[in-house]
């Protein structure tokens, strides 16, 4: 069965035939083959992909990626703690929303969506607010496509003795990192981004010695990260509540396909090539990127909407969809943009075809 269109979005994204076929079988959540065989395998593989250092463990959590971010913040931050949130986009702002909902002690370091967080300013913030115990930031800010200086901020957090929480939702699996070397204590991502599974659960890779201290701290039953981990750890991969069995199987297949591709380094190289081709080609067609090239991630790119009279996103979107490509609306607050993602089952030849489609769709401008 052919897909009707290629998703050029930050997820859910176009998946392989193999990943989709893995969902054709029904599984019992109590079955050993499922829990011991698949869930525990996934948890081990995720830790191996995240770091070569010991001391980390993985927890899978039902829901979209935001549920896992919320599970971390609302479980890890106790009333004695204070969280510094770095916000330069919609996903940083979402962490601040989560902090408000749960009434977490927190402070905000906010810069514009097109600016890099400034390391010296963050350091000053840490020096002036000694009550801060945790720092949270987004790695690839999917709002703009900016790759934030996560490693530098995590090093700073480590230097000042703070716990580091990284929303690496749209980068984990597509950008090489070793969270042990980087001093990241909690990394959050989800099934339907760079690992190229389907949506349905998120996951957290946590420093076990820290997570173990979080018993009884959660502000929500279903998002109790500690309890979810404790159950998976002590009952051989068992989820506390109904697990998304089909999604989990698809994810296991996606992990196998990541290995077959050559691991994260090879996937990163493909994404990078996709993104370079896209930027180069779009520039040749007269489009401008929102960010300077040096701030781009290999994940998704924001382009200014054309200034020609008669352009509207809806018509542009529709024309491209008819030719088999789905692009993404902009999310930046103060600039008129659209976004094109290049992750998932997307190859350089697909980007070439997209560029031809855009070139031949120019009549939407009249
Ligand atoms: C996709 C994404 C999320 C989670 O979004 P959901 O819609 O809840 O899956 C969080 N942070 C970032 C940076 C993302 O790209």
């Amino acid at each position: 069965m052919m897909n009707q269109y290629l998703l050029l979005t930050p997820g859910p994204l176009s998946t392989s035939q193999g990943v989709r076929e893995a969902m054709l079988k029904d599984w019992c959540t109590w079955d050993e083959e499922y829990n011991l065989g698949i869930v525990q395998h996934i948890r081990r593989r995720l830790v191996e992909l995240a770091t070569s250092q010991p001391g980390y463990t993985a927890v899978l959590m039902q829901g979209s990626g935001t549920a896992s971010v919320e599970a971390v913040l609302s479980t890890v931050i106790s009333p004695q703690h204070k969280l510094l949130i770095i916000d330069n986009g919609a996903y940083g702002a979402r962490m601040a929303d989560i902090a408000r909902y749960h009434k977490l002690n927190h402070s905000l370091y906010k810069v514009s969506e097109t600016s890099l967080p400034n390391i010296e300013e963050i350091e000053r913030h840490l020096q002036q607010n000694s009550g801060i115990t945790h720092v949270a930031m987004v790695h690839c800010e999917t709002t703009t496509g900016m790759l934030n200086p996560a490693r530098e901020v995590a090093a700073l957090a480590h230097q000042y003795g703070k716990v580091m929480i990284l929303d690496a939702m749209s980068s984990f699996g597509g950008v090489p990192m070793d969270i042990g070397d980087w001093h990241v204590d909690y990394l959050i991502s989800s099934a339907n981004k760079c690992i190229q599974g389907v949506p349905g659960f998120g996951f957290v890779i946590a420093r076990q010695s820290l997570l173990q201290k979080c018993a009884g701290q959660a502000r929500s039953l279903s998002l109790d990260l500690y309890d979810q981990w404790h159950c998976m750890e002590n009952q051989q991969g068992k989820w506390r509540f109904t697990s998304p069995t089909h999604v989990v199987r698809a994810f296991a297949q996606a992990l196998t396909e990541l290995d077959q591709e050559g691991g994260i380094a090879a996937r990163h190289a493909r994404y990078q090539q996709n993104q370079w081709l896209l930027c180069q080609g779009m520039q040749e067609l007269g489009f401008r990127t929102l960010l300077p090239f040096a701030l781009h991630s290999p994940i998704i790119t924001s382009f200014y909407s054309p200034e020609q009279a008669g352009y509207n996103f809806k018509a542009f979107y529709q024309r491209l969809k008819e030719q088999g490509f789905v692009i993404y609306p902009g999310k930046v607050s103060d600039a008129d943009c659209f976004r094109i993602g290049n992750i998932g089952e997307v190859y350089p030849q697909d980007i070439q075809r997209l560029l031809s489609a855009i070139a031949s769709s120019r009549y939407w401008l009249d």
Side-chain angles (χ1 to χ4, degrees):
M1 245 198 313
M2 284 290 289
N3 254 6
Q4 289 165 290
Y5 45 66
L6 196 68
L7 290 165
L8 298 167
T9 63
L13 31 74
S14 288
T15 53
S16 71
Q17 181 90 8
V19 165
R20 279 177 266 135
E21 278 172 1
M23 293 183 285
L24 293 176
K25 201 169 155 187
D26 300 320
W27 287 73
C28 172
T29 51
W30 282 90
D31 190 80
E32 277 199 351
E33 232 184 306
Y34 174 68
N35 286 320
L36 266 174
I38 299 176
V39 178
Q40 294 295 70
H41 163 74
I42 288 173
R43 293 180 61 217
R44 263 194 313 276
R45 272 311 284 148
L46 286 175
V47 171
E48 286 165 6
L49 288 172
T51 183
S52 55
Q53 292 194 16
Y56 284 88
T57 186
V59 197
L60 316 183
M61 182 63 86
Q62 296 94 331
S64 84
T66 304
S68 286
V69 177
E70 188 155 9
V72 170
L73 298 186
S74 63
T75 300
V76 166
I77 312 296
S78 81
Q80 285 74 47
H81 291 144
K82 185 171 182 183
L83 173 66
L84 170 63
I85 298 169
I86 296 165
D87 169 5
N88 66 336
Y91 294 98
R94 190 173 296 176
M95 291 202 281
D97 279 343
I98 291 170
R100 276 190 292 273
Y101 264 76
H102 293 281
K103 303 184 170 56
L104 308 180
N105 294 324
H106 68 284
S107 66
L108 210 56
Y109 168 73
K110 191 175 164 66
V111 293
S112 91
E113 289 166 331
T114 50
S115 304
L116 271 183
N118 181 297
I119 302 294
E120 287 78 39
E121 285 175 14
I122 295 172
E123 179 161 24
R124 220 168 306 129
H125 201 102
L126 290 178
Q127 287 166 344
Q128 289 165 1
N129 299 272
S130 57
I132 289 168
T133 52
H134 294 66
V135 177
M137 88 179 292
V138 174
H139 188 203
C140 170
E141 189 34 277
T142 320
T143 314
T144 53
M146 189 188 294
L147 199 62
N148 274 328
R151 187 175 192 167
E152 288 78 358
V153 172
L156 201 59
H158 178 68
Q159 186 192 330
Y160 283 83
K162 316 300 180 193
V163 175
M164 181 71 197
I165 299 167
L166 187 63
D167 171 351
M169 203 71 67
S170 62
S171 56
F172 182 72
V175 176
M177 62 184 102
D178 185 313
I179 61 168
D181 292 348
W182 286 23
H183 305 292
V184 170
D185 300 297
Y186 294 91
L187 174 142
I188 309 149
S189 187
S190 77
N192 61 284
K193 299 218 170 165
C194 297
I195 306 286
Q196 299 186 182
V198 300
F201 71 90
F203 53 86
V204 179
I205 302 164
R207 201 183 287 285
Q208 187 166 324
S209 57
L210 289 175
L211 181 57
Q212 266 168 336
K213 287 190 247 167
C214 296
Q217 272 180 200
R219 289 158 171 82
S220 145
L221 170 71
S222 58
L223 296 180
D224 187 335
L225 186 74
Y226 171 85
D227 217 37
Q228 182 89 345
W229 169 75
H230 190 263
C231 181
M232 280 188 177
E233 190 70 7
N234 292 292
Q235 297 187 55
Q236 284 83 39
K238 188 181 174 310
W239 301 54
R240 287 176 308 159
F241 311 124
T242 299
S243 77
T245 47
H246 299 75
V247 178
V248 170
R249 257 194 82 71
F251 190 75
Q253 175 62 25
L255 283 172
T256 301
E257 293 179 12
L258 173 60
D259 287 342
Q260 286 163 350
E261 184 171 356
I264 292 175
R267 181 155 294 177
H268 175 246
R270 170 165 63 90
Y271 287 174
Q272 190 72 265
Q273 203 190 347
N274 286 347
Q275 203 268 342
W276 282 339
L277 266 176
L278 175 71
C279 279
Q280 215 168 31
M282 289 295 278
Q283 214 171 18
E284 281 163 19
L285 291 174
F287 290 90
R288 286 185 307 124
T289 58
L290 173 74
L291 301 177
F293 279 31
L295 301 186
H296 282 172
S297 65
I299 308 297
I300 188 166
T301 311
S302 295
F303 295 95
Y304 282 110
S305 301
E307 280 166 16
Q308 286 96 323
Y311 168 84
N312 78 70
F313 176 76
K314 195 87 195 142
F316 183 36
Y317 174 91
Q318 210 50 45
R319 294 260 192 255
L320 290 178
K321 188 175 160 192
E322 281 158 18
Q323 297 179 76
F325 302 97
V326 162
I327 63 167
Y328 223 51
K331 202 171 183 154
V332 185
S333 354
D334 54 3
D336 188 6
C337 289
F338 63 89
R339 289 178 291 171
I340 300 180
N342 55 258
I343 58 177
E345 203 60 6
V346 176
Y347 295 86
Q349 57 270 32
D350 298 312
I351 300 295
Q352 299 287 17
R353 287 194 302 114
L354 168 76
L355 291 166
S356 308
I358 292 176
S360 70
S361 290
R362 300 228 107 198
Y363 55 89
W364 44 262
L365 286 178
D366 57 23

